Structures are given as structure tokens and as C-alpha cells.
Amino acid sequence: MFALSFGRLLLQALPKQPVTPRATAQCIRSLTTCQQEPLKKGDMPIKMENPYKTPPKTCILCNITVDFRNVQLLSQFISPHTGRIYGRHITGLCGRKQKEVSKAIKKARSMGFMSVTLKDPQFIKDPDICGIKHFE
Amino acid sequence: MPRYELCVILKAMQRPETAAVLRRTVETLLERGAVVRALESLGERRLPYKISKHDCRHTHGGYFSVDFHASPKTVSELLDHLERDIDVLRPTVLKKDTELSQAQCCGGNVRDDVFRE
């Protein structure tokens, strides 16, 4: 403990002088030539849009109007066994579309277009969007 | 005048009777000063669930859609009238909203940890 504090005292005691590198003429030349090249006008980077830009991520119902009459489309987002609406983590829809689909399904149910407790048998063979694995 | 849409399910009947019911409905609308824009048939199909109406359990019905302009007072009267009609199973009047702005759908709100393959 005492050694450490002694060491610190010694360091503080030494005169603080900045260590400057010995700048010779040759050294200066080499330093300056690297940095100051004459700027050629045709060599500047061309301003362009990022060519590797990924397209904006969209959900599957992007730019598709959701209607309560389109029972086949709405049936793709309900369970075939119980007719329950799948949540956002299963359908993968964005917030806006999930709400639209949910509202449309409820509207269709109350108006007599879509069944409540099951999925219409003619739509069971439709391609699976949600990819949920049911307990077999 | 605001624009409405009447989606009505009629009892499964023969063609002349269905025509008579639709005629009655449209005439009721016109009497009360509505402007009927279009009348479409969405086909006759099996109902998604059995509907009990006017002392009868129905399994099939004809779906029709009427597009019209009317005042809000007329709409409530119309619904009243349709509820009393024996041949009408389920009348629903919806307001036809002006097209929602389709600007910037999604825009990257999709989650990466979605439960899909």
C-alpha cells in the first residue's frame, strides 16, 4: 500500500513535459505528401442511392383491402377447429391490418356471412398463411 | 346525404317472391326520400349458422346488398320496417365510409419473431 502511494508521489514529482517527436525535414515531407494530393474532379465519389437497400418490410395484406364480404380471405386467419381469430404473433400482420381483419371477421359474424364456432368446410383446404402447427 | 349500405338476408324463396320483397324494400326507401344507387345480389347460399326468425329456423338464404343515400332518420325507420317483414332474416345497415387513406401501409412494423416458418 505504501509502495503504491510512494510511486504515485514520484510520478507527480517528475516535471510534466510534453514529449515532442524530433521533426526532421525529411519526416515533414513524407507526412505532408500523403495528405495533400491535388484533388482531381473526376475522381470524387458519385452521389447515388444505396444500391444494396432492402425493400421495406411489408405484411402479407399490404395494399389489399379487407372486406367483410370476402369470407374466404377472412377464414384464413381463424382456427379451423374452433373458429377463433389468431393473434398477431401467429398471423404476422402489422397492427393496422390485424385490427381491420379482426373487425371484419366480427362484422361478418354478426351479419350472418361467417360462422362463429367453425371454419367453413369449403375453405379448409386453403393454403396456410399463418403456419400454426395444431396438435395432431 | 350520407351514403349507406343495406346488407339483407332474405328467406330462401322462389324468384317472384324474392323480387316482390326487394321491390317492397326499395319502394319503402324511395317513399322516405332516399336515393337508391345500386342493388346487388350476393347469391343464395347456405347460412353459416341456423337463424331463428319469425318463428322459423332457417338454413338457407338469399344475400342482397342495396347501396343508397338517405338521411339518418330514414335509416332507423327502415330498420324498424325490415325487422317486421316476415321474409327478411337479417337486415344490417352500414355506413359507407370514404376510402381510407392507403398511404404507407405497414412501413416496417412487421415483427421478426413471428410464429411462422
Side-chain angles (χ1 to χ4, degrees):
Chain A
M1 228 172 85
F2 276 118
L4 274 170
S5 56
F6 192 63
R8 265 191 222 128
L9 277 169
L10 271 179
L11 277 168
Q12 281 173 3
L14 280 170
K16 285 189 182 168
Q17 283 174 11
V19 180
T20 48
R22 293 251 187 101
T24 54
Q26 270 181 340
C27 195
I28 289 170
R29 220 178 288 135
S30 63
L31 279 169
T32 48
T33 43
C34 309
Q35 289 163 10
Q36 282 176 22
E37 258 183 27
L39 293 166
K40 294 179 204 157
K41 283 204 176 161
D43 208 17
M44 293 301 289
I46 310 164
K47 282 198 177 159
M48 62 173 3
E49 218 184 272
N50 182 6
Y52 304 105
K53 216 186 218 179
T54 50
K57 259 202 285 185
T58 55
C59 74
I60 41 179
L61 287 187
C62 207
N63 297 328
I64 294 175
T65 43
V66 173
D67 201 11
F68 64 89
R69 279 166 284 221
N70 192 351
V71 180
Q72 187 157 23
L73 173 67
L74 296 176
S75 297
Q76 286 182 303
F77 299 102
I78 59 170
S79 162
H81 305 296
T82 51
R84 293 177 81 180
I85 309 173
Y86 287 138
R88 209 165 301 192
H89 59 291
I90 299 174
T91 60
L93 295 169
C94 69
R96 200 205 258 180
K97 284 292 164 185
Q98 174 75 21
K99 195 87 190 184
E100 274 181 37
V101 165
S102 192
K103 286 257 171 205
I105 291 175
K106 289 181 187 170
K107 207 187 257 184
R109 281 174 179 171
S110 89
M111 290 172 69
F113 279 84
M114 200 159 110
S115 173
V116 181
T117 42
L118 51 96
K119 191 175 187 174
D120 201 316
Q122 52 177 294
F123 302 140
I124 288 182
K125 300 284 170 118
D126 283 348
D128 198 12
I129 295 180
C130 302
I132 186 170
K133 289 201 183 115
H134 291 286
F135 180 72
E136 291 295 329
Chain B
M1 281 201 281
R3 192 169 155 183
Y4 295 96
E5 189 182 338
L6 164 72
C7 287
V8 65
I9 308 180
L10 303 179
K11 198 165 85 171
M13 298 173 288
Q14 299 300 317
R15 214 183 151 87
E17 284 148 17
T18 319
V21 178
L22 286 169
R23 196 196 185 85
R24 253 187 286 157
T25 314
V26 173
E27 271 173 7
T28 320
L29 270 172
L30 294 171
E31 262 174 51
R32 287 158 217 258
V35 178
V36 177
R37 215 179 153 105
L39 167 61
E40 292 153 6
S41 162
L42 306 165
E44 186 181 308
R45 30 179 150 148
R46 199 162 157 196
L47 300 174
Y49 41 83
K50 295 198 189 96
I51 296 178
S52 311
K53 193 92 180 179
H54 305 297
D55 299 324
C56 202
R57 206 127 189 261
H58 305 268
T59 41
H60 291 77
Y63 289 69
F64 293 90
S65 163
V66 185
D67 213 352
F68 63 96
H69 288 265
S71 67
K73 229 191 298 176
T74 317
V75 167
S76 51
E77 287 170 6
L78 171 75
L79 267 174
D80 212 35
H81 177 265
L82 287 169
E83 286 284 330
R84 274 176 238 178
D85 197 331
I86 315 172
D87 296 320
V88 168
L89 297 183
R90 193 158 288 194
T92 321
V93 175
L94 299 167
K95 218 196 307 194
K96 255 234 159 104
D97 287 320
T98 46
E99 292 303 313
L100 299 161
S101 58
Q102 292 285 321
Q104 293 304 313
C105 191
C106 291
N109 278 351
V110 186
R111 285 160 56 174
D112 283 318
D113 59 330
V114 154
F115 186 75
R116 284 151 84 205
E117 277 144 35

